[in-house]
Amino acid sequence: MEEKDFERYYSLIETNQLKQLKNELTEMAYPDIAEFIMSIEDEKTVVKVFRILPKDISADVFAYLDSDSQEIIVRLITDREIERLMDDLYVDDAVDFLEEVPANVVRRVLANTDRETREIINRFLKYPENCAGSVMTIEMVELHDRLTVGEAIKNIRRTGVDKETIYTCYVIDDKRHLVGTIPLRRLILNDEDEYLTDIMSDDEQLISVTTMDDQEDVAALAKKYDLLSVPVVDRENRLVGIITIDDIVDIIDEEATEDFEKMANLRPSDDEYLKTKVLKLAKNRIPWLMVLMISSTLTGQIIEGFESKLAAVAGLTACIPMLMGTGGNSGSQVSTLIIRGLALGEIKVKDYFKVLWKEIRVSIMVGFALGVVNALRMFILRSTIGNDASNSVILVVSLSVWCVVIVAKIMGCTLPIIAKLLKLDPAMMTGPMISTVVDAISLLIYFTLANAIIPF
């Protein structure tokens, strides 16, 4: 729903027709209600609209709001309303909210939360950021392995209303060890007298993660096995929570955004662009730009060392930007593919030599094609506009293009895999970083061939 569709609701607020607004909002999907609330600029109006929502949907809508709107609401509502809101929120949504708001808001929320919920939230907040434990929820269907299908269904009917998902049920033993999973569909289709141990997925089919596993690994696992939820166990294989598909989608989005930022040599940030302060944006950009600027000193030194050659031979200087640009673009092409392959698990570190051999063959063909086209380009320019480039210069430039493309593609596939081997993020080794390295190598190749071919 676009913002222009909210004009009618704005007018209902202005004319104080809150009952009509409530009726219309309750017909909308939760994300659309949240989008409408986030579009309201006045803080008091934000709270007014949130308060008219029915109790049974307000917590669900709250979970879809951004952290700024959540903070406004919690700051302006009463302690009693906070207590009721926290009772209705799923634990993972409450934790996500508390991780984003200032400490004073966290203190007020926890002070108005019952002891049991507060202990659970504090336990979640202690998990390291981006691990499975920090994004899991404890609202899942747990069934004891002694139960029959009929007893399990009765259990779900009694407790399922408070669970975040009931599509997959988790079977545990007396010590809470995860011993199996059962899709709800299988429960419904089996005879009521069947025991869960007879119809559940056995140990070989059981997919789970531990609390300290990286959230990116969780998302990859869910994608690989088409899971709607992933069980989380502790070191002793005791079930402690699950990660649901909505959180898995958020993880994928968050990790993709982080990789994009690293590929642009930016310090990753969770903040939205328009809500990020100018000073923070500058801080996120300066470090890598400074590193790249200092790194380019090598390129300048190489050019400076060949100044006499550049001054003596017409045409050499004019080709430097083209050569460096071609090298950087060639390296960025392959590094992007390799980084994606590493992220999706399609490429492993052990596949390096397979990747290298493939890229060498590709680069020979690509470099040859670009070299030939460059030679034709320089011949045409010389004949049409009187370019001073000699046959020797044309040969040097075309050979350089071929060699540079080969080297750039080798670097483009090598650097991300080296980063992966060193436990670094491969996304750092792309774009500007590849270009900076390849620029220096391109010039060395160029001037080496110039010295060998062109008489001086």
Side-chain angles (χ1 to χ4, degrees), residues 381-399:
L381 287 175
R382 187 174 66 180
S383 60
T384 55
I385 63 174
N387 192 290
D388 292 333
S390 64
N391 290 337
S392 298
V393 171
I394 294 174
L395 177 61
V396 167
V397 175
S398 299
L399 280 176

Side-chain angles (χ1 to χ4, degrees), residues 176-187:
R176 291 193 55 81
H177 293 140
L178 179 63
V179 295
T181 60
I182 302 178
L184 181 62
R185 181 174 181 269
R186 192 182 302 170
L187 275 179

Side-chain angles (χ1 to χ4, degrees), residues 348-365:
K348 309 290 184 184
V349 173
K350 65 181 181 180
D351 298 324
Y352 171 68
F353 290 105
K354 292 180 182 177
V355 173
L356 180 63
W357 175 231
K358 184 182 288 289
E359 286 303 323
I360 287 175
R361 288 177 289 168
V362 171
S363 63
I364 289 173
M365 290 187 285

Side-chain angles (χ1 to χ4, degrees), residues 61-231:
V61 173
F62 185 85
Y64 283 102
L65 295 172
D66 60 23
S67 58
D68 289 343
S69 299
Q70 290 176 332
E71 183 185 344
I72 289 170
I73 290 170
V74 170
R75 182 159 41 84
L76 297 182
I77 62 178
T78 65
D79 290 348
R80 176 60 184 159
E81 288 173 312
I82 291 177
E83 183 180 354
R84 191 163 58 241
L85 176 62
M86 296 304 293
D87 286 342
D88 293 337
L89 271 177
Y90 290 118
V91 171
D92 59 333
D93 291 330
V95 172
D96 289 342
F97 154 60
L98 293 174
E99 286 178 334
E100 298 295 330
V101 295
N104 61 318
V105 176
V106 175
R107 284 193 295 270
R108 186 183 176 210
V109 169
L110 293 179
N112 291 283
T113 304
D114 66 78
R115 181 178 176 181
E116 182 182 355
T117 303
R118 184 163 61 249
E119 289 176 353
I120 294 172
I121 290 175
N122 281 327
R123 188 168 72 246
F124 273 65
L125 291 174
K126 289 178 182 177
Y127 283 113
E129 189 178 4
N130 297 332
C131 74
S134 68
V135 293
M136 70 180 181
T137 180
I138 59 171
E139 283 105 354
M140 67 278 188
V141 176
E142 306 170 52
L143 301 173
H144 201 282
D145 57 1
R146 293 192 304 263
L147 299 179
T148 63
V149 169
E151 292 170 334
I153 291 176
K154 289 180 181 178
N155 182 294
I156 295 171
R157 286 174 178 163
R158 186 176 65 255
T159 63
V161 68
D162 296 322
K163 308 304 180 183
E164 188 158 346
T165 178
I166 62 171
Y167 298 119
T168 303
C169 307
Y170 299 92
V171 184
I172 58 175
D173 62 16
D174 290 329
K175 295 183 179 180
R176 291 193 55 81
H177 293 140
L178 179 63
V179 295
T181 60
I182 302 178
L184 181 62
R185 181 174 181 269
R186 192 182 302 170
L187 275 179
I188 295 172
L189 296 178
N190 271 278
D191 188 84
E192 290 191 354
D193 295 327
E194 289 277 357
Y195 282 95
L196 299 186
T197 50
D198 295 329
I199 65 171
M200 70 182 185
S201 301
D202 57 32
D203 290 344
E204 293 180 358
Q205 298 170 305
L206 198 55
I207 307 298
S208 65
V209 297
T210 66
T211 53
M212 301 307 292
D213 284 346
D214 189 273
Q215 64 176 19
E216 195 169 3
D217 296 333
V218 176
L221 198 69
K223 178 179 179 294
K224 180 178 180 179
Y225 294 101
D226 294 326
L227 301 175
L228 290 176
S229 57
V230 180

Side-chain angles (χ1 to χ4, degrees), residues 265 292 324 327-336 339 407-416 426 428-441:
N265 289 121
L292 295 173
M324 293 170 66
N329 293 335
S330 299
S332 295
Q333 280 184 335
V334 66
S335 67
T336 300
I339 290 167
V407 172
K409 290 194 176 294
I410 290 173
M411 296 298 296
C413 71
T414 300
L415 291 180
M428 298 167 59
M429 300 298 176
T430 188
M433 176 57 74
I434 291 287
S435 296
T436 301
V437 174
V438 171
D439 283 351
I441 296 174

Side-chain angles (χ1 to χ4, degrees), residues 330 372 405:
S330 299
V372 170
V405 169

